Coordinates of all heavy atoms in Angstrom, one line a residue:
Y148 N 214.5 109.3 19.7 CA 214.8 110.5 18.8 C 213.7 111.5 18.9 O 214.1 112.7 19.1 CB 215.1 110.0 17.4 CG 215.2 111.1 16.4 CD1 216.4 111.9 16.3 CD2 214.2 111.5 15.5 CE1 216.5 112.9 15.4 CE2 214.2 112.5 14.7 CZ 215.4 113.3 14.6 OH 215.5 114.3 13.8
Y149 N 212.5 111.1 18.6 CA 211.4 112.1 18.5 C 211.2 112.7 19.9 O 210.9 113.9 20.1 CB 210.1 111.4 18.1 CG 210.1 111.1 16.7 CD1 209.9 109.8 16.2 CD2 210.2 112.1 15.7 CE1 209.8 109.4 14.9 CE2 210.2 111.7 14.4 CZ 209.9 110.4 13.9 OH 209.9 110.1 12.6
F150 N 211.3 111.8 21.0 CA 211.2 112.3 22.4 C 212.3 113.4 22.7 O 212.0 114.5 23.2 CB 211.3 111.2 23.4 CG 211.1 111.5 24.8 CD1 209.8 111.5 25.3 CD2 212.1 111.9 25.6 CE1 209.6 111.8 26.7 CE2 211.9 112.3 26.9 CZ 210.6 112.2 27.4
D151 N 213.5 113.1 22.4 CA 214.6 114.0 22.6 C 214.5 115.3 21.9 O 214.7 116.4 22.4 CB 216.0 113.3 22.2 CG 217.1 114.1 22.5 OD1 217.4 114.5 23.8 OD2 217.9 114.4 21.6
V152 N 214.1 115.2 20.6 CA 213.9 116.4 19.8 C 212.9 117.4 20.4 O 213.0 118.6 20.6 CB 213.6 116.1 18.3 CG1 213.2 117.4 17.6 CG2 214.8 115.5 17.7
Q153 N 211.7 116.7 20.8 CA 210.6 117.5 21.3 C 211.0 118.0 22.7 O 210.7 119.2 23.0 CB 209.4 116.6 21.5 CG 208.1 117.3 21.7 CD 207.5 117.8 20.4 OE1 207.9 117.4 19.4 NE2 206.5 118.6 20.5
L154 N 211.7 117.3 23.5 CA 212.2 117.7 24.8 C 213.0 119.0 24.8 O 212.9 120.0 25.5 CB 212.8 116.6 25.6 CG 213.3 117.0 27.0 CD1 212.1 117.3 27.9 CD2 214.1 115.8 27.6
R155 N 214.0 118.8 23.8 CA 215.0 120.0 23.6 C 214.3 121.3 23.1 O 214.7 122.4 23.5 CB 216.0 119.6 22.6 CG 217.0 118.5 23.1 CD 217.9 118.1 21.9 NE 218.9 117.0 22.4 CZ 220.0 117.2 22.9 NH1 220.4 118.5 23.1 NH2 220.8 116.2 23.2
Q156 N 213.2 121.1 22.3 CA 212.5 122.3 21.8 C 211.7 123.0 22.9 O 211.5 124.2 22.8 CB 211.6 121.9 20.7 CG 212.4 121.4 19.4 CD 211.4 121.0 18.3 OE1 210.3 120.5 18.5 NE2 211.9 121.0 17.0
I157 N 211.1 122.2 23.8 CA 210.1 122.7 24.7 C 210.6 122.9 26.1 O 210.1 123.7 27.0 CB 208.9 121.8 24.7 CG1 208.3 121.8 23.3 CG2 207.8 122.3 25.7 CD1 207.0 121.0 23.1
F158 N 211.6 122.2 26.5 CA 212.1 122.2 27.9 C 212.3 123.6 28.5 O 211.9 123.9 29.6 CB 213.3 121.3 28.1 CG 213.8 121.2 29.5 CD1 213.1 120.4 30.4 CD2 214.9 121.9 30.0 CE1 213.5 120.2 31.7 CE2 215.3 121.9 31.3 CZ 214.7 121.0 32.2
G159 N 213.0 124.4 27.7 CA 213.3 125.8 28.1 C 212.0 126.6 28.4 O 211.9 127.4 29.4
Y160 N 211.0 126.4 27.6 CA 209.7 127.1 27.8 C 209.0 126.6 29.1 O 208.4 127.4 29.8 CB 208.7 126.9 26.7 CG 209.3 127.5 25.4 CD1 209.8 126.7 24.4 CD2 209.2 128.8 25.1 CE1 210.2 127.2 23.2 CE2 209.6 129.4 23.9 CZ 210.2 128.6 23.0 OH 210.7 129.1 21.8
W161 N 209.2 125.3 29.3 CA 208.6 124.7 30.6 C 209.3 125.3 31.8 O 208.6 125.7 32.8 CB 208.7 123.2 30.5 CG 208.2 122.5 31.7 CD1 206.8 122.4 32.1 CD2 208.9 121.8 32.8 NE1 206.7 121.7 33.3 CE2 208.0 121.4 33.7 CE3 210.2 121.6 32.9 CZ2 208.4 120.6 34.8 CZ3 210.6 120.8 34.1 CH2 209.7 120.4 35.0
V162 N 210.6 125.3 31.8 CA 211.3 125.9 32.9 C 211.0 127.4 33.2 O 210.7 127.8 34.3 CB 212.8 125.7 32.7 CG1 213.6 126.5 33.9 CG2 213.2 124.3 32.7
L163 N 211.0 128.2 32.1 CA 210.6 129.6 32.2 C 209.2 129.8 32.7 O 208.9 130.7 33.6 CB 210.8 130.3 30.8 CG 210.6 131.8 30.8 CD1 211.6 132.5 31.7 CD2 210.7 132.3 29.3
G164 N 208.3 128.9 32.2 CA 206.9 129.0 32.7 C 206.8 128.7 34.2 O 206.0 129.3 34.9
I165 N 207.5 127.7 34.6 CA 207.5 127.3 36.1 C 208.0 128.5 36.9 O 207.3 128.9 37.9 CB 208.5 126.1 36.3 CG1 207.9 124.8 35.7 CG2 208.7 126.0 37.8 CD1 206.7 124.3 36.5
L166 N 209.1 129.1 36.5 CA 209.7 130.2 37.2 C 208.7 131.5 37.2 O 208.5 132.1 38.3 CB 211.1 130.6 36.7 CG 212.2 129.6 36.8 CD1 213.4 130.0 36.1 CD2 212.4 129.3 38.3
L167 N 208.2 131.8 36.1 CA 207.3 132.9 36.0 C 206.0 132.6 36.8 O 205.6 133.6 37.6 CB 206.9 133.2 34.6 CG 205.9 134.4 34.3 CD1 206.6 135.7 34.8 CD2 205.5 134.4 32.9
G168 N 205.4 131.5 36.7 CA 204.2 131.2 37.4 C 204.4 131.2 38.9 O 203.6 131.7 39.7
S169 N 205.6 130.7 39.4 CA 205.8 130.8 40.8 C 206.1 132.2 41.3 O 205.7 132.5 42.4 CB 207.1 129.9 41.1 OG 206.8 128.5 40.9
C170 N 206.8 133.0 40.6 CA 207.0 134.4 40.9 C 205.8 135.2 41.1 O 205.5 135.9 42.0 CB 208.0 135.1 39.9 SG 209.7 134.5 40.1
I171 N 204.9 135.0 40.1 CA 203.6 135.6 40.1 C 202.8 135.1 41.4 O 202.1 135.9 42.0 CB 202.8 135.4 38.8 CG1 203.5 136.2 37.7 CG2 201.3 135.9 39.0 CD1 202.9 136.0 36.3
S172 N 202.8 133.8 41.6 CA 202.0 133.3 42.7 C 202.5 133.7 44.0 O 201.8 134.1 44.9 CB 202.2 131.7 42.6 OG 201.3 131.2 43.6
V173 N 203.9 133.9 44.2 CA 204.5 134.3 45.5 C 204.4 135.8 45.7 O 204.1 136.3 46.7 CB 205.9 133.8 45.5 CG1 206.6 134.4 46.7 CG2 205.9 132.3 45.6
F174 N 204.7 136.6 44.6 CA 204.8 138.0 44.8 C 203.6 138.9 44.3 O 203.5 140.0 44.8 CB 206.1 138.5 44.1 CG 207.4 137.8 44.5 CD1 208.0 137.0 43.7 CD2 207.8 138.0 45.8 CE1 209.2 136.3 44.2 CE2 208.9 137.4 46.3 CZ 209.7 136.5 45.5
L175 N 202.9 138.4 43.3 CA 201.8 139.2 42.7 C 200.4 138.7 42.9 O 199.4 139.4 42.6 CB 202.1 139.4 41.2 CG 203.4 140.2 40.9 CD1 203.5 140.1 39.4 CD2 203.3 141.6 41.4
K176 N 200.3 137.4 43.3 CA 198.9 136.8 43.4 C 198.0 137.7 44.2 O 196.8 138.0 43.8 CB 198.9 135.4 43.9 CG 197.6 134.7 44.1 CD 197.9 133.3 44.6 CE 198.5 133.3 46.0 NZ 198.7 131.9 46.5
D177 N 198.4 138.0 45.4 CA 197.5 138.8 46.3 C 197.1 140.1 45.8 O 195.9 140.6 46.0 CB 198.1 138.9 47.7 CG 198.3 137.6 48.4 OD1 197.5 136.7 48.1 OD2 199.1 137.5 49.4
K178 N 198.1 140.8 45.1 CA 197.8 142.1 44.5 C 196.7 141.9 43.4 O 195.8 142.8 43.2 CB 199.1 142.7 43.9 CG 200.0 143.1 45.0 CD 201.3 143.8 44.4 CE 202.2 144.2 45.5 NZ 203.5 144.8 45.0
I179 N 196.9 140.9 42.5 CA 196.0 140.6 41.4 C 194.6 140.5 41.9 O 193.6 141.0 41.5 CB 196.4 139.4 40.6 CG1 197.6 139.8 39.8 CG2 195.3 139.0 39.6 CD1 198.3 138.6 39.2
H180 N 194.5 139.6 43.0 CA 193.1 139.3 43.5 C 192.6 140.4 44.3 O 191.4 140.7 44.4 CB 193.2 138.0 44.4 CG 193.6 136.8 43.6 ND1 194.3 135.7 44.2 CD2 193.5 136.5 42.3 CE1 194.5 134.8 43.2 NE2 194.0 135.2 42.1
G181 N 193.5 141.2 44.9 CA 193.0 142.4 45.6 C 192.4 143.4 44.7 O 191.4 144.1 45.0
L182 N 193.0 143.6 43.5 CA 192.4 144.5 42.5 C 191.1 144.1 42.0 O 190.2 144.9 41.9 CB 193.4 144.5 41.2 CG 194.7 145.3 41.3 CD1 195.6 145.1 40.1 CD2 194.4 146.8 41.5
F183 N 190.9 142.7 41.9 CA 189.6 142.3 41.5 C 188.6 142.4 42.6 O 187.4 142.8 42.4 CB 189.7 140.8 41.1 CG 188.4 140.2 40.5 CD1 187.8 140.9 39.5 CD2 187.9 139.0 40.9 CE1 186.7 140.4 38.8 CE2 186.7 138.5 40.3 CZ 186.1 139.3 39.3
R184 N 188.9 142.2 43.8 CA 188.0 142.4 44.9 C 187.7 143.9 45.1 O 186.5 144.2 45.4 CB 188.7 141.9 46.3 CG 187.8 142.0 47.5 CD 188.4 141.3 48.7 NE 188.2 139.9 48.7 CZ 189.2 139.0 48.5 NH1 190.4 139.4 48.2 NH2 188.9 137.7 48.6
A185 N 188.6 144.8 44.8 CA 188.3 146.2 44.9 C 187.3 146.6 43.8 O 186.6 147.7 44.1 CB 189.6 147.0 44.7
M186 N 187.2 145.9 42.7 CA 186.2 146.2 41.7 C 184.8 146.2 42.2 O 183.9 146.9 41.6 CB 186.3 145.3 40.5 CG 187.6 145.5 39.7 SD 187.7 144.2 38.3 CE 186.0 144.4 37.6
S187 N 184.5 145.4 43.3 CA 183.1 145.4 43.8 C 182.6 146.7 44.3 O 181.4 146.9 44.4 CB 183.1 144.3 44.9 OG 183.9 144.6 45.9
Q188 N 183.6 147.6 44.6 CA 183.2 148.9 45.1 C 183.1 149.9 44.0 O 182.7 151.0 44.2 CB 184.3 149.4 46.1 CG 184.6 148.4 47.2 CD 183.4 148.1 48.1 OE1 182.6 148.9 48.3 NE2 183.2 146.8 48.4
S189 N 183.4 149.5 42.7 CA 183.3 150.4 41.6 C 182.0 150.4 40.9 O 181.1 149.6 41.3 CB 184.4 150.1 40.6 OG 184.1 148.9 39.9
R190 N 181.8 151.3 40.0 CA 180.5 151.4 39.3 C 180.8 151.2 37.7 O 180.2 151.9 37.0 CB 179.9 152.8 39.5 CG 179.5 153.0 41.0 CD 178.8 154.3 41.2 NE 178.4 154.5 42.6 CZ 177.8 155.5 43.0 NH1 177.5 156.6 42.3 NH2 177.5 155.7 44.4
M191 N 181.6 150.3 37.4 CA 181.9 150.1 36.0 C 180.7 149.4 35.2 O 180.7 149.4 34.0 CB 183.2 149.2 35.9 CG 184.4 150.0 36.1 SD 185.9 149.0 35.8 CE 185.9 147.9 37.2
G192 N 179.8 148.7 36.0 CA 178.7 148.1 35.3 C 179.2 147.0 34.4 O 180.1 146.2 34.7
L193 N 178.6 146.9 33.2 CA 178.9 145.8 32.3 C 180.4 145.8 31.8 O 181.0 144.9 31.5 CB 178.0 145.9 31.1 CG 178.1 144.7 30.0 CD1 177.9 143.4 30.6 CD2 177.2 145.0 28.9
L194 N 181.0 147.1 31.8 CA 182.3 147.2 31.3 C 183.3 146.4 32.3 O 184.5 146.3 31.8 CB 182.7 148.7 31.2 CG 182.0 149.5 30.1 CD1 182.4 151.0 30.2 CD2 182.4 148.9 28.7
G195 N 182.9 146.1 33.4 CA 183.7 145.4 34.4 C 184.1 144.1 33.9 O 185.1 143.5 34.5
I196 N 183.5 143.5 32.9 CA 183.9 142.2 32.4 C 185.2 142.2 31.7 O 185.9 141.2 31.6 CB 182.8 141.6 31.5 CG1 182.6 142.4 30.2 CG2 181.5 141.3 32.2 CD1 181.6 141.8 29.2
V197 N 185.7 143.4 31.2 CA 186.9 143.5 30.5 C 188.1 143.4 31.5 O 188.9 142.5 31.3 CB 187.1 144.9 29.7 CG1 188.4 145.0 29.1 CG2 185.9 144.9 28.6
P198 N 188.1 144.2 32.6 CA 189.3 144.0 33.5 C 189.1 142.6 34.2 O 190.1 142.0 34.6 CB 189.1 145.1 34.5 CG 187.7 145.6 34.3 CD 187.4 145.4 32.9
A199 N 187.9 142.2 34.5 CA 187.7 140.9 35.1 C 188.3 139.8 34.2 O 189.0 138.9 34.8 CB 186.2 140.6 35.3
S200 N 188.1 139.8 32.9 CA 188.8 138.8 32.1 C 190.3 138.9 32.1 O 191.0 137.9 32.1 CB 188.3 139.0 30.6 OG 186.8 138.8 30.5

Side-chain angles (χ1 to χ4, degrees):
Y148 169 77
Y149 288 121
F150 185 92
D151 182 60
V152 169
Q153 197 83 9
L154 182 63
R155 290 173 184 271
Q156 289 177 340
I157 298 180
F158 183 75
Y160 296 103
W161 179 68
V162 171
L163 185 59
I165 291 284
L166 294 175
L167 176 65
S169 292
C170 286
I171 291 176
S172 183
V173 171
F174 301 115
L175 295 176
K176 177 178 64 180
D177 291 339
K178 293 182 180 179
I179 292 169
H180 297 154
L182 286 172
F183 189 48
R184 184 174 276 107
M186 284 176 55
S187 61
Q188 308 301 320
S189 70
R190 298 183 177 180
M191 284 186 285
L193 183 60
L194 291 177
I196 63 176
V197 175
S200 297

